[in-house]
Amino acid sequence: MELVVDPSLAAALGPVTREVSCKICPQRAALHGVADFNKSCQIEQGRHFPLSGIPVWYHRCRGCGFVFSAQFDAWTPAMFRTHIYNAQYLMVDPDMKGTRAEIASHRLIACARERNAANLLDFGGGEGHLARILSAKGLVTRTWDPFLTDDEPPEAGIFDLVSCYEVLEHSPTPRETCARALSFLKPGGVMVFSTLSVDDLPRHSMDHWYIAPRNGHISIHTKRSLAVLFGELGWRVRQVSPAVYMAVAASG
Ligand SMILES: [Zn+2]
């Protein structure tokens, strides 16, 4: 089945400049490479969708190694819904409502028990699939997704635990997204988040499956960029599995 591209896509993508400021650290980021808009994470399974003919450019920071596209910087949530998180999104992320959320729920329940956490916010939780699983397992959970909803956000500073699964790689504004997610924590609270760091990308290589515009993967972190990002906000990150991290207050 073919991925249909909305005719307004090419005009919606922002301009490309050869060098921009890194979104994470004070260094500069030069153009790194280009991917067809229809490149998806499904290439990891050997599945390639027909190309759209619409290029998406990525930069790479020479300091922290963060790889990102600046062409979505002016997009509104509605534009993301039109072009990326639309009815065809399940084709490029078929497991969105499947086993990944179940696995995430085991980790979050264990973390909540360990830390006596009574409530959790699933930040960026889409339509609330993970939140429903967690609530069914007895952990009081709310969900709020700045990409998908125009609903009022929850009150800041009231949650023991914030989960932020598959969010950071989708955010065109990593600092703001991270600061926002962390703002919902009570003092002493922790955030558990997932993202896959790509640390050894060859120069100009766009072959990695995780660099996937059609999945909305426009911010590809390295371990270094995660440490800088959270460090500047006053948090430390600890890796708990290949693609899952815990952030704790640096002062805690
Ligand atoms: Zn950087």
Side-chain angles (χ1 to χ4, degrees), residues 8-15 37 54-56 71-72 75 79:
S8 65
L9 174 64
L13 289 167
F37 180 77
I54 296 172
V56 176
Q71 291 192 273
F72 302 85
W75 279 31
M79 291 165 82

Side-chain angles (χ1 to χ4, degrees), residues 22 38 56 103 126-127 140 146 150 240:
C22 178
N38 278 353
V56 176
I103 292 166
E127 285 150 7
V140 177
D150 300 318
V240 294

Side-chain angles (χ1 to χ4, degrees), residues 166-180:
E166 297 172 38
V167 173
L168 295 195
E169 63 274 18
H170 298 266
S171 171
T173 53
R175 273 197 242 185
E176 290 77 359
T177 298
C178 237
R180 192 84 197 264

Side-chain angles (χ1 to χ4, degrees), residues 46-189:
R47 185 159 187 217
H48 294 255
F49 292 98
L51 301 183
S52 67
I54 296 172
V56 176
W57 290 89
Y58 285 73
H59 290 80
R60 186 189 203 175
C61 173
R62 56 175 70 102
C64 68
F66 183 57
V67 170
F68 60 100
S69 176
Q71 291 192 273
F72 302 85
D73 286 1
W75 279 31
T76 60
M79 291 165 82
F80 280 103
R81 290 194 292 263
T82 297
H83 298 290
I84 295 178
Y85 310 119
N86 53 25
Q88 289 195 311
Y89 185 74
L90 270 176
M91 288 168 62
V92 296
D93 190 8
D95 190 39
M96 184 172 68
K97 296 184 175 172
T99 51
R100 282 201 317 254
E102 195 58 45
I103 292 166
S105 76
H106 294 315
R107 182 176 304 284
L108 291 166
I109 296 276
C111 179
R113 284 206 185 113
E114 220 171 82
R115 308 190 66 91
N116 285 324
N119 65 353
L120 179 146
L121 173 68
D122 188 32
F123 179 89
E127 285 150 7
H129 180 60
L130 176 58
R132 277 192 294 278
I133 295 176
L134 290 167
S135 296
K137 291 180 179 180
L139 179 59
V140 177
T141 304
R142 283 185 65 182
T143 190
W144 184 66
D145 193 322
F147 281 112
L148 286 190
T149 178
D150 300 318
D151 293 353
E152 279 294 299
E155 202 183 319
I158 63 165
F159 293 92
D160 296 314
L161 188 56
V162 165
S163 59
C164 190
Y165 271 69
E166 297 172 38
V167 173
L168 295 195
E169 63 274 18
H170 298 266
S171 171
T173 53
R175 273 197 242 185
E176 290 77 359
T177 298
C178 237
R180 192 84 197 264
L182 292 166
S183 75
F184 292 108
L185 285 168
K186 279 181 194 165

Side-chain angles (χ1 to χ4, degrees), residues 191-211:
M191 180 161 108
V192 177
F193 67 94
S194 78
T195 199
L196 182 71
S197 75
V198 177
D199 295 284
D200 301 308
L201 197 60
R203 196 160 178 257
H204 297 309
S205 172
M206 292 291 286
D207 290 341
H208 201 290
W209 64 272
Y210 207 63
I211 308 173

